[in-house]
Amino acid sequence: MNYETPSPIQAKAIPALLQGANLLGTAQTGTGKTAAFSLPLLSRLNFNGHETSMLVLTPTRELAIQVAEAIQQYAVKMPKVHVVPVYGGQDIAVQLRALKRQANIVVATPGRLMDHVQRGNVDFLDIRDLVLDEADEMLSMGFYPDMQKIRKYLPKMISCTMFSATIPQTVKSLAREFQRPSAEFLS
């Protein structure tokens, strides 16, 4: 991918995520956040089966598609890794087929993911890592109730990485709700 030097957020996040830390990071768009969470989490996960091991929530379909494509590129040498984007505006049957085949990593918008949860289309028993990308945007777009519902379906002891362009009190409250008390703050 022609990366030679990590960006500041990558230099801080990658070592911490390799150790299994929970993170709340602040970084603007275009600073390499996707690589900052994808590379270490890909290296930590075991993709020998058909289970979903990582869930990434994004506020928009455009970001879900972009993040899913980037993760698939990072995993190009990992042929058993399949990334499935799940978002509104696409036929739900297409997504259902992709989820049933093999979805090691699901990148989703909260609303469409809740559609799949309510239909029984997804199983989160094997999720080890949750990423909330653009957490401030998800909150400002009104996704908090869906995020709370999704959290109830996830295993209790998963790592949670959050990235946000800003860290208002609402994002800090979300971090307390989703992360273990030992979460690290990176800016």
Side-chain angles (χ1 to χ4, degrees):
M1 306 274 318
N2 296 322
Y3 292 151
E4 293 183 23
T5 306
S7 69
I9 194 67
Q10 292 168 350
K12 293 176 182 177
I14 290 172
L17 289 174
L18 285 171
Q19 298 300 316
N22 283 262
L23 295 180
L24 172 54
T26 180
Q28 299 301 314
T29 301
T31 56
K33 292 181 298 203
T34 303
F37 67 77
S38 299
L39 296 173
L41 295 181
L42 280 168
S43 72
R44 284 181 358 101
L45 297 178
N46 180 6
F47 293 107
N48 291 329
H50 296 283
E51 69 277 350
T52 301
S53 300
M54 184 182 354
L55 173 62
V56 181
L57 294 179
T58 68
T60 66
R61 85 182 87 193
E62 295 80 14
L63 186 57
I65 293 167
Q66 177 186 342
V67 169
E69 289 173 352
I71 294 172
Q72 195 67 64
Q73 286 179 337
Y74 299 142
V76 72
K77 300 286 185 185
M78 303 169 80
K80 293 184 178 187
V81 174
H82 298 281
V83 183
V84 176
V86 172
Y87 52 89
Q90 182 185 45
D91 184 352
I92 201 163
V94 170
Q95 295 172 357
L96 176 59
R97 284 191 297 275
L99 289 167
K100 294 277 186 216
R101 277 195 305 271
Q102 182 177 16
N104 304 112
I105 300 170
V106 173
V107 181
T109 56
R112 179 50 67 98
L113 184 61
M114 274 311 301
D115 283 350
H116 282 288
V117 168
Q118 291 167 344
R119 295 170 189 242
N121 297 343
V122 291
D123 175 6
F124 294 136
L125 296 177
D126 295 309
I127 294 282
R128 293 178 55 188
D129 292 287
L130 171 66
V131 178
L132 305 178
D133 196 9
E134 304 287 347
D136 55 347
E137 287 299 314
M138 281 192 280
L139 291 173
S140 70
M141 293 173 73
F143 285 124
Y144 180 69
D146 285 338
M147 294 166 70
Q148 281 185 305
K149 291 175 190 170
I150 290 166
R151 181 67 182 108
K152 291 178 184 175
Y153 288 92
L154 299 173
K156 298 291 183 221
M157 295 304 295
I158 60 172
S159 78
C160 180
T161 301
M162 294 175 59
F163 283 107
S164 189
T166 62
I167 309 289
Q169 187 58 43
T170 54
V171 171
K172 290 177 184 176
S173 296
L174 186 69
R176 282 191 295 273
E177 187 174 335
F178 276 73
Q179 296 180 323
R180 295 186 299 261
S182 61
E184 295 182 38
F185 174 73
L186 304 175
S187 62

